[in-house]
Amino acid sequence: MAPIKGMRDILRLLEAEVSGPREKANKNKSYIHELLRDLRGMKGYILSIQQERSQEFLSMYRWKSYILDYIIFLHTSLFLLCAEKFPLDESNDDVNDEPDKLTMKMRFTTSALTHLINSLFSIYILLEKGLDVQAKQILRSYIEYSDLTLAVLGDEDFYDNYRRMGDGERERKEVWNKFTRPSALTKILERIFIDMDGTREHWNILQQIRKQLYDDLSEYTHGHFMAVLFGAFGEIAGGEITRTPLGAITKRVDSTLINTIDYGYLFIKHIVIAIVKYQKLPFMTFGEEGAKFVMYYKILESFMPAFFLVSSMGKGKSPTKL
């Protein structure tokens, strides 16, 4: 029997099964019809489950979903500002000169924002469908790339070395060990955040939030045994424990939603500071759209303390003071 390499080979085998002796062919045709019926039934069942999960999610977490919507909106607005002022299209660059460092760093920021926007949007969709573990995995990626983006904007030495990761395997290992490895990146971010605020208190609160999220989310990213087991079950409203295939709106969905809002807000807050302080780009240089963005950002700052006051009860330190 020839090896099966793809869908065409599977279809070929099915065709062979239904084209043999009449009795066998009739029996197999019946099985194929049952298979197609079951597949259509499963698709309809999945769609109905997804609709049910979405309605349940909004009924329980509508106001929090609105805040995440707003944070995604701010990420997208910042992306549009950067993409307009520092377009990725290099056709207008001087062919004899490499773009200046500011342009290169802001182009990187635009690319990073693309990943961050898509990550937040993916998290929203997954949580809405009750797929908490998968949302956690993407949240971990969001945190790592937001940290890298702030390091690029806030530390010249980090940026100069981070660019070398594309030069070869030896350079990648060297940059990993000295700059992008979590412990090395934490030290770089510590210097940046203490410089932003002028005190260590700011960094201490942020690092407590950051470390707890890194530790918790790494279990789901790296497939720890207990995380796999716990992810297969969840507590729903009323204290009932349920299995989670095809998703379930569990209490952990709420926790992941809050953590996503927390870190999304903190990233926007700090990238605004990094762009102005380290890149010397006041938002007035972005024109009228820059002024609008500042207004939108101030609206976020006005209601986040109330959000943290409610959502951080019983969780210890809140980012409110940041």
Side-chain angles (χ1 to χ4, degrees):
M1 179 178 177
I4 297 175
K5 297 181 180 180
M7 182 57 70
R8 288 188 178 182
D9 291 329
I10 294 174
L11 293 174
R12 174 176 51 79
L13 289 174
L14 291 174
E15 288 172 358
E17 287 293 315
V18 298
S19 62
R22 179 171 297 178
E23 182 178 348
K24 181 181 178 182
N26 289 337
K27 184 177 181 181
N28 286 335
K29 282 181 180 178
S30 175
Y31 288 156
I32 297 300
H33 288 312
E34 288 183 20
L35 170 62
L36 293 174
R37 183 197 65 201
D38 290 344
L39 286 173
R40 285 192 292 267
M42 175 61 74
K43 183 176 181 180
Y45 174 71
I46 290 173
L47 289 174
S48 68
I49 288 292
Q50 288 179 339
Q51 291 172 356
E52 183 180 321
R53 296 290 180 264
S54 296
Q55 293 170 1
E56 186 179 357
F57 174 83
L58 288 176
S59 70
M60 297 174 67
Y61 307 122
R62 185 180 300 272
W63 71 278
K64 292 175 185 174
S65 74
Y66 287 162
I67 296 176
L68 182 53
D69 280 340
Y70 196 76
I71 287 172
I72 295 172
F73 165 74
L74 285 177
H75 279 67
T76 306
S77 297
L78 184 58
F79 163 81
L80 293 172
L81 285 179
C82 295
E84 176 70 22
K85 192 169 183 65
F86 301 96
L88 292 175
D89 180 10
E90 300 179 358
S91 60
N92 294 324
D93 291 348
D94 190 326
V95 295
N96 298 315
D97 296 315
E98 181 176 309
D100 59 78
K101 183 176 284 190
L102 172 63
T103 299
M104 293 295 290
K105 290 171 81 168
M106 294 307 296
R107 282 177 174 172
F108 171 84
T109 300
T110 303
S111 297
L113 281 167
T114 301
H115 175 74
L116 297 175
I117 292 165
N118 290 342
S119 295
L120 289 178
F121 189 56
S122 298
I123 292 168
Y124 185 103
I125 293 172
L126 290 168
L127 290 178
E128 185 185 31
K129 306 304 181 187
L131 300 170
D132 177 66
V133 170
Q134 289 67 35
K136 281 180 165 66
Q137 292 166 344
I138 297 178
L139 177 56
R140 171 61 186 265
S141 175
Y142 173 89
I143 292 172
E144 290 182 359
Y145 277 91
S146 64
D147 285 350
L148 286 170
T149 304
L150 291 172
V152 163
L153 292 172
D155 189 285
E156 291 291 326
D157 193 33
F158 178 88
Y159 170 74
D160 291 338
N161 283 276
Y162 187 53
R163 290 185 64 191
R164 295 171 49 229
M165 291 194 77
D167 293 345
E169 184 63 26
R170 183 178 64 82
E171 289 79 4
R172 274 196 296 273
K173 290 181 178 178
E174 183 179 332
V175 173
W176 162 259
N177 287 325
K178 294 182 179 180
F179 295 94
T180 58
R181 186 164 48 95
S183 59
L185 182 57
T186 296
K187 292 179 180 178
I188 293 167
L189 291 172
E190 180 178 6
R191 292 197 301 269
I192 294 171
F193 282 102
I194 291 175
D195 182 61
M196 280 184 179
D197 185 60
T199 69
R200 179 168 288 276
E201 180 185 11
H202 180 113
W203 167 252
N204 289 342
I205 297 173
L206 176 65
Q207 177 57 8
Q208 180 177 331
I209 298 166
R210 182 174 172 270
K211 185 178 185 305
Q212 182 177 342
L213 280 176
Y214 259 87
D215 292 344
D216 292 347
L217 297 175
S218 67
E219 296 189 4
Y220 297 93
T221 305
H222 302 302
H224 289 202
F225 181 73
M226 295 307 296
V228 172
L229 293 181
F230 289 143
F233 299 88
E235 183 181 353
I236 58 178
E240 182 183 350
I241 302 299
T242 183
R243 290 184 177 272
T244 60
L246 300 181
I249 306 300
T250 65
K251 291 184 177 180
R252 288 196 295 265
V253 165
D254 185 37
S255 175
T256 305
L257 179 57
I258 291 172
N259 288 334
T260 303
I261 293 170
D262 282 0
Y263 223 88
Y265 160 69
L266 291 173
F267 172 73
I268 284 291
K269 181 183 185 74
H270 294 120
I271 194 174
V272 166
I273 298 172
I275 289 173
V276 175
K277 182 178 178 69
Y278 300 115
Q279 306 311 309
K280 310 300 181 187
L281 280 173
F283 277 86
M284 68 181 67
T285 62
F286 292 90
E288 183 180 352
E289 294 303 316
K292 286 182 183 178
F293 176 81
V294 172
M295 181 187 70
Y296 299 152
Y297 170 71
K298 287 180 177 178
I299 292 172
L300 177 70
E301 287 285 8
S302 70
F303 63 70
M304 285 307 291
F307 167 78
F308 287 127
L309 181 63
V310 174
S311 65
S312 65
M313 288 179 178
K315 289 177 62 180
K317 289 285 187 181
S318 161
T320 308
K321 293 184 179 180
L322 298 180

Short mmCIF file of all heavy atoms in Angstrom, two decimals, residues 11 34 84 115 145 183 247 275 321:
data_model
loop_
_atom_site.label_atom_id
_atom_site.label_comp_id
_atom_site.label_asym_id
_atom_site.label_seq_id
_atom_site.Cartn_x
_atom_site.Cartn_y
_atom_site.Cartn_z
N LEU A 11 -8.76 10.72 -0.33
CA LEU A 11 -9.90 10.65 -1.24
C LEU A 11 -9.76 9.47 -2.22
O LEU A 11 -10.74 8.81 -2.55
CB LEU A 11 -10.05 11.96 -2.00
CG LEU A 11 -10.46 13.18 -1.15
CD1 LEU A 11 -10.43 14.44 -2.01
CD2 LEU A 11 -11.83 12.98 -0.54
N GLU A 34 -22.82 8.20 6.02
CA GLU A 34 -22.92 8.43 7.46
C GLU A 34 -21.81 9.39 7.92
O GLU A 34 -22.05 10.27 8.77
CB GLU A 34 -22.80 7.11 8.22
CG GLU A 34 -24.04 6.24 8.09
CD GLU A 34 -23.92 4.97 8.92
OE1 GLU A 34 -23.10 4.96 9.86
OE2 GLU A 34 -24.64 4.00 8.62
N GLU A 84 1.84 55.94 9.48
CA GLU A 84 1.71 57.12 8.62
C GLU A 84 2.99 57.95 8.61
O GLU A 84 3.44 58.39 7.55
CB GLU A 84 0.54 57.97 9.11
CG GLU A 84 0.34 59.28 8.36
CD GLU A 84 -0.16 59.08 6.94
OE1 GLU A 84 -0.74 58.01 6.65
OE2 GLU A 84 0.04 59.99 6.10
N HIS A 115 1.76 42.77 15.52
CA HIS A 115 1.68 41.50 16.27
C HIS A 115 0.86 41.68 17.55
O HIS A 115 0.02 40.82 17.89
CB HIS A 115 3.08 41.01 16.62
CG HIS A 115 3.09 39.79 17.48
ND1 HIS A 115 2.78 38.54 17.00
CD2 HIS A 115 3.33 39.64 18.81
CE1 HIS A 115 2.83 37.66 17.99
NE2 HIS A 115 3.17 38.30 19.11
N TYR A 145 6.45 40.23 23.60
CA TYR A 145 6.71 41.19 22.52
C TYR A 145 6.50 42.63 22.97
O TYR A 145 7.15 43.54 22.46
CB TYR A 145 5.84 40.85 21.30
CG TYR A 145 6.46 39.79 20.43
CD1 TYR A 145 6.18 38.45 20.63
CD2 TYR A 145 7.37 40.12 19.43
CE1 TYR A 145 6.76 37.46 19.86
CE2 TYR A 145 7.96 39.15 18.65
CZ TYR A 145 7.65 37.82 18.87
OH TYR A 145 8.24 36.84 18.10
N SER A 183 15.77 36.73 32.09
CA SER A 183 16.47 37.37 33.21
C SER A 183 17.27 38.58 32.75
O SER A 183 17.33 39.61 33.44
CB SER A 183 17.40 36.36 33.90
OG SER A 183 18.35 35.84 32.98
N GLY A 247 -14.61 24.62 24.40
CA GLY A 247 -14.70 25.86 25.16
C GLY A 247 -15.75 25.83 26.25
O GLY A 247 -16.75 25.11 26.16
N ILE A 275 8.01 56.75 23.67
CA ILE A 275 8.07 57.48 22.40
C ILE A 275 8.43 58.95 22.64
O ILE A 275 9.25 59.53 21.92
CB ILE A 275 6.73 57.35 21.65
CG1 ILE A 275 6.57 55.92 21.11
CG2 ILE A 275 6.64 58.35 20.50
CD1 ILE A 275 5.21 55.63 20.50
N LYS A 321 -1.39 52.54 40.83
CA LYS A 321 -0.41 53.55 41.18
C LYS A 321 0.60 53.82 40.07
O LYS A 321 1.39 54.73 40.15
CB LYS A 321 0.34 53.11 42.44
CG LYS A 321 -0.53 53.08 43.68
CD LYS A 321 0.31 52.72 44.91
CE LYS A 321 -0.55 52.71 46.16
NZ LYS A 321 0.25 52.36 47.35
#
